[in-house]
Amino acid sequence: MPRHPAEPWRIKMVEPLRTITRDQRQQALQEAGYNITLLRSEDVYIDLYTDSGTNAMSDRQWAAMMSGDEAYAGARSFYRLEAAVREHYGYEHLIPTHQGRGAENILSRILIRPGHHVPGNMYFTTTRAHQELNGATFHDVIIDEAHDPSCDHPFKGDVDLVKLDRLIRDVGPDRIPYVSVAATVNMAGGQPISLANLTQVHELAHHHGILVILDAARAVENAWFIKQREKGWHEHSVAAILREICARTDGAAMSAKKDSYANIGGWLALRDPYLAEQAQGLVVLYEGLHTYGGMAGRDMEAIAVGIAESVQDENIRARIDQVAYLGQQLIGAELPLVQPLGGHAVCIDAAATLPHIPREEFPAQTLAAALYLDSGVRAAERGAVSAGRDPATGENRYPRLELIRLTIPRRVYTRSHMDLVADSAIHVHKQRDRLTSGLAFTHEPETLRFFQARFAPTTPNSALNHPA
Ligand code: PLI
């Protein structure tokens, strides 16, 4: 066997990349209000902002797009997607949506009422925003280890059953419409939940008549980790493990822009026909008819093929290997990373990198800006800026994890790109003492502020304002 098994695909089409000078990046960063989200993508060299919708599709997916049925009602492409979801995820009723947050909207509207409480294994930005918009309070019931970047627990996505049980007793099962279970947990750095733990969550929730809803965006990646790390599952295929994960849940919200190698799309799936009918009624209002839900027929074709590709062991192995390849280089240079390495991203602990910058000056936002300035690599902030303010108190939420996320799009970048990212991240790390101050808001939007916020350095002599 070669030291690193090669990717099970070759490249048929390429997209040229543009490089700009450091002075140009400096200007672009200032124009973007020091928010990497507001950079124009053409000013970015290697874009690790997200793995969402940034995938390279296969020739099979492109070919399938040509056979998209664009009928308003009853499109053949819908039935192909429905069949793929039934086969690989095992849910009976499929409600297509334009992307994951469309599914979160419909789900939250049918299940949540004001005064409800939703427990989950750490929050995700859009998921929690929809839960709160519908009047629920979110409760993080993930195990404590998930909040400790250096802890190498193999299943940091596990739910703490004591926390979940306590919440059920405190507020009463009638006020908990569902447990929101993510696999993997994005904000913890792509950490998996174990099948053993999910089984216990399912039993506890069902004992109290509470549903379990899966965030399936990266459930295939989670299945791979179960195969690698959980006793008794090594001989099972990823496809079989994925079905086992879903079998322990009552439905799922899916962003097809992740595991399924698509550029757009999503779905909500439910087992209960009564709930499914309610969702089908609402999807017409917010997304489109219940047989396209905001997607073109060709998008549904691409997702159907993408689902089948995503569960092939060699594809998911190559994906996780690439993340590990980048991560190992950074570990070798002693950068403080979230351990163990996650499924979709390598996350750098910005609070540990820049301990001299107070949390109020957003070390992760600052580190992401510095990395862009150095090499044109765009990471994502996953810390206090993403966490927003507590709706009850209006205070900033300061999660223990203050991270920058180097998120790897699927089948897009090569090892040389990863080498370049590693070199730049290591260089910025070595020079971290030059970053003596952070950033402050000059504009702070109310909802999901991290997308549109603008910042300025807190001191005029900030390293973010100076040439290398
Ligand atoms: O971006 P959407 O609307 O297709 O999906 C929303 C969404 C739901 N759950 C999880 C775990 C996500 O990661 C997610 C989107 N994630 C983005 C955009 C990301 O950059 O991680």
Side-chain angles (χ1 to χ4, degrees), residues 248-262:
R248 288 153 176 79
T249 67
D250 301 290
M254 175 68 177
S255 168
K257 302 170 73 174
K258 277 81 168 180
D259 272 349
S260 307
Y261 298 117

Side-chain angles (χ1 to χ4, degrees), residues 21-22 37 54 70 126 159 184 210 226 257 289 308 314 364 375 382-383 394 400 402 406 436 451:
T21 63
R22 185 182 166 106
T37 315
T54 51
E70 306 301 345
T126 57
V159 169
T184 59
I210 299 169
I226 288 173
K257 302 170 73 174
L289 197 76
E314 70 270 26
S375 58
R382 298 277 85 157
R400 222 176 125 195
E402 175 76 11
L406 301 166
T436 51
F451 286 128

Side-chain angles (χ1 to χ4, degrees), residues 66-213:
M66 295 304 290
S67 60
D69 177 354
E70 306 301 345
Y72 186 91
R76 185 177 59 242
S77 307
F78 167 76
Y79 293 104
R80 289 223 176 104
L81 177 60
E82 185 187 57
V85 172
R86 280 184 181 158
E87 179 181 351
H88 293 292
Y89 291 84
Y91 300 112
E92 181 62 18
H93 304 287
L94 181 76
I95 297 98
T97 58
H98 76 285
Q99 59 182 87
R101 66 202 65 181
E104 291 169 348
N105 175 37
I106 308 292
L107 178 78
S108 305
R109 281 176 181 272
I110 59 171
L111 289 179
I112 294 174
R113 299 290 168 265
H116 274 175
H117 297 264
V118 178
N121 53 350
M122 207 176 264
Y123 84 102
F124 183 69
T125 54
T126 57
T127 318
R128 184 177 64 188
H130 279 296
Q131 291 159 352
E132 290 176 346
L133 258 164
N134 284 280
T137 305
F138 176 79
H139 298 262
D140 185 1
V141 294
I142 203 165
I143 55 172
D144 288 343
E145 286 87 339
H147 295 279
D148 176 359
S150 61
C151 170
D152 65 355
H153 189 293
F155 289 104
K156 281 168 101 173
D158 277 359
V159 169
D160 184 328
L161 293 151
V162 175
K163 288 184 197 169
L164 178 58
D165 190 50
R166 196 182 308 136
L167 181 74
I168 296 172
R169 281 170 209 286
D170 284 354
V171 304
D174 295 350
R175 292 166 71 202
I176 303 180
Y178 63 97
V179 185
S180 182
V181 178
T184 59
V185 180
N186 187 354
M187 300 303 275
Q191 302 294 329
I193 181 170
S194 64
L195 262 180
N197 182 256
L198 185 55
T199 306
Q200 289 175 309
V201 171
H202 183 247
E203 280 169 6
L204 179 60
H206 275 222
H207 175 72
H208 291 284
I210 299 169
L211 299 175
V212 178
I213 302 290

Side-chain angles (χ1 to χ4, degrees), residues 214-235:
L214 179 70
D215 181 330
R218 301 182 183 86
V220 180
E221 291 171 7
N222 199 113
W224 174 258
F225 285 124
I226 288 173
K227 182 175 166 72
Q228 300 306 310
R229 298 178 188 168
E230 190 163 352
K231 212 166 158 250
W233 292 100
H234 192 66
E235 299 307 321

